[in-house]
Amino acid sequence: PAGFPPGPRGDVAVELLRNPLAFLEDAAARHGGAVALVLGGERVVLVSDPGLAQAVLIDQAADFVKEGTAFFPGTALAGQGLLVSDGDTWRRQRQLANPAFRRSAVASYAAAMAGETRSLLEGPWAGGGARPVYADFNTLTLDITTAALFGTGLPRDQATEVTGAIRTAFEFFSERAASGFVVPEWLPTPGNAAYAAAVTRLDAAVYGVIDRRAAELAAAPAQAPQSLLDALLGARDEGGGRMARRALRNELMTLLVAGQETAAIALAWACALLAHHPAAQARAAAEVEAQLGGERPSAANAGSLRYLEAVVLEALRLRPPAYLVGRCAARDVNLGPYSLPAGTTVLVSPYLLHRDAARWQAPAAFRPERWAGVLAQRGGAAAALHGLGPNGAYVPFGAGPRNCIGTGFAMLEAVVVLASMLQRFRLSPLPGAAFPAAEPRITLRPSAVELIVDPR
Ligand code: HEM
């Protein structure tokens, strides 16, 4: 094996931050499916070759771990939860959390998804006009995720406190995730002190809810879990052990961090694409009308919205919220023809895989139709997302053992929210507005998505 792959000379952090998508495409075009980069002094290998991506994410998953991966913020908020832990700690937590994300469990959150969406559509959207939809979806997915996490049955003061604490802590977290330069969390800056205070308040609120619910369930076990919290409280490992209180808190916050912003971004891009592709929007709206009429979107009827599902898959292909997925070489490893020293950060790029010209026809075009065959053949999106996707180059939710535990949740949420919206509104760009630019940080977020929403 031949050491590091080829790559540009010098530190490219500034160039990458200036225009990440163009930078990534250019780097892959010039140097190929594996590119060695220096980013802020860190040696990084960017992977966009499907075979090498499969090696990192699936075949050699034990060689490429999370620990030591550069560029991860938010440990103060989420601690050592599923997203960042490794080895036996991760394995046990994942086993304990898996049942909470079974299809039947996920289906039980559809009512909260539809209900929270209705509040947005009947509230801020009621009058129509120009709306900051990305900001709206950030609030909406925070409300949906909070409802799924804690249920809708909390006493009012506790619900208000936990929601308020989450929002405050999240403002700090988003600011941090949005800045190109991340101040280490341990530095005693005023910003960090305020963030730490917000996390302390959040902890008190979350532990308050955990303890109250644990006591309630001990007194009167529920027939079925009412929330992700219930499911995690009820989870047992092979030895009958349960999740420790601290671990439970970390997983709840991890689910919030992992599931809220990604979902808001996915929805915002999907809406921008629909607004800029009126024929696709008309077709999706016609499908919703034909299948649902005025009926509320639910887990039971969402499966009949195949075209809308294709819209979501296609939006996730063109603008994958997780456009880079990071790993760290646990030891000296061989990756295809290369050999990488222990500690090397490897960034697999869903964004680049999704535009691989050898795998996709007209990769830059928004064509939900391209998913029709796959969805019909495999009977829905869940099956289409198996492995590295239908053609080995589709990984919006990652792949292998560390794939997204919330895939089913996120797909249902997207379809339910979009269907609710299309039942009542037509979306269009502001007059003369270009397609929103990407503002890639840790996630591929849109700069802002402002759209006209017309009541139907
Ligand atoms: C992991 C994407 C929604 C919870 C991941 C990974 C990706 C991803 C790419 C793998 C990261 C890696 O390999 O390093 C997305 C996208 C979403 C979404 C694009 C929305 C469109 C959600 C939701 C939840 C969630 C709704 C929970 C409610 C998680 C967790 C992990 C994860 C806990 C870590 C799993 C593990 O390592 O065992 N997500 N996600 N995600 N996601 Fe999601």
Side-chain angles (χ1 to χ4, degrees):
F4 276 90
R9 282 166 192 280
D11 202 307
V12 295
V14 173
E15 263 177 277
L16 178 77
L17 280 179
R18 193 180 305 135
N19 191 348
L21 300 183
F23 176 86
L24 293 179
E25 284 180 87
D26 183 64
R30 272 173 208 259
H31 302 286
V35 186
L37 303 171
V38 181
L39 277 181
E42 192 86 29
R43 277 248 249 182
V44 172
V45 173
L46 172 70
V47 169
S48 60
D49 172 78
L52 298 180
Q54 157 110 14
V56 173
L57 298 177
I58 304 180
D59 303 337
Q60 290 174 242
D63 288 337
F64 294 98
V65 299
K66 297 279 185 121
E67 191 186 354
T69 308
F71 325 111
F72 190 81
T75 38
L77 190 53
Q80 285 295 313
L82 271 180
L83 201 56
V84 298
S85 58
D86 278 304
D88 291 342
T89 311
W90 166 78
R91 199 165 298 109
R92 178 168 183 273
Q93 290 299 104
R94 178 88 185 206
Q95 274 165 4
L96 285 168
N98 273 335
F101 287 93
R102 276 198 205 114
R103 193 193 265 273
S104 58
V106 167
S108 71
Y109 305 121
M113 294 167 180
E116 298 294 346
T117 308
R118 174 177 281 203
S119 302
L120 170 67
L121 303 182
E122 290 178 355
W125 281 32
R131 288 297 312 170
V133 302
Y134 177 46
D136 286 344
F137 290 150
N138 257 314
T139 310
L140 175 63
T141 59
L142 189 55
D143 291 342
I144 289 174
T145 317
T146 310
L149 284 173
F150 301 110
T152 45
L154 288 181
R156 196 178 190 85
D157 54 335
Q158 208 163 28
T160 312
E161 176 53 18
V162 80
T163 313
I166 284 172
R167 282 191 190 209
T168 311
F170 248 69
E171 272 164 34
F172 285 103
F173 171 71
S174 315
E175 218 168 275
R176 175 176 285 276
S179 69
F181 174 71
V182 179
V183 181
E185 283 174 1
W186 47 264
L187 268 183
T189 61
N192 275 352
Y195 184 31
V199 173
T200 304
R201 175 183 165 207
L202 179 66
D203 278 353
V206 171
Y207 281 127
V209 176
I210 292 175
D211 294 344
R212 190 186 136 271
R213 192 64 188 149
E216 273 178 9
L217 290 175
Q223 297 290 328
Q226 310 284 309
S227 62
L228 288 164
L229 169 61
D230 280 11
L232 296 180
L233 277 170
R236 298 290 180 271
D237 62 18
E238 297 114 353
R242 57 180 73 193
M243 216 181 262
R245 188 166 172 267
R246 174 87 206 162
L248 184 54
R249 174 259 177 231
N250 286 345
E251 295 311 347
L252 292 171
M253 291 305 108
T254 293
L255 296 175
L256 198 59
V257 167
Q260 182 270 335
E261 199 204 358
T262 43
I265 292 172
L267 282 167
W269 286 122
C271 284
L273 286 161
L274 287 172
H276 285 262
H277 294 85
Q281 186 183 165
R283 187 167 165 191
E287 181 188 63
V288 174
E289 173 64 29
Q291 298 294 331
L292 270 57
E295 204 182 309
R296 241 192 210 219
S298 69
N301 63 30
S304 67
L305 302 175
R306 280 288 153 78
Y307 187 76
L308 190 53
E309 213 165 44
V311 164
V312 175
L313 293 176
E314 184 68 346
L316 288 170
R317 186 182 68 79
L318 286 173
R319 290 286 184 275
Y323 72 120
L324 292 170
V325 168
R327 291 291 186 277
C328 181
R331 52 193 79 89
D332 294 352
V333 293
N334 292 332
L335 174 61
Y338 309 110
S339 75
L340 310 177
T344 306
T345 289
V346 175
L347 296 175
V348 175
S349 176
Y351 179 80
L352 290 175
L353 283 164
H354 294 179
R355 285 164 185 262
D356 187 326
R359 306 269 175 152
W360 300 97
Q361 271 180 17
F366 177 68
R367 288 189 188 160
E369 298 73 22
R370 71 171 86 232
W371 293 96
V374 174
L375 288 175
Q377 200 182 11
R378 302 210 187 179
L385 289 162
H386 190 74
L388 257 66
N391 59 358
Y394 186 67
V395 288
F397 297 101
R402 304 305 298 260
N403 71 351
C404 180
I405 200 172
T407 304
F409 187 108
M411 287 301 300
L412 181 63
E413 181 181 17
V415 169
V416 165
V417 171
L418 292 174
S420 308
M421 239 176 49
L422 291 170
Q423 279 177 322
R424 295 160 184 233
F425 292 92
R426 195 175 291 108
L427 308 174
S428 48
L430 298 183
F435 192 73
E439 190 178 278
R441 303 290 187 216
I442 286 155
T443 46
L444 183 59
R445 56 169 79 180
S447 47
V449 180
E450 203 170 347
L451 298 175
I452 310 247
V453 304
D454 281 319
R456 282 180 193 276

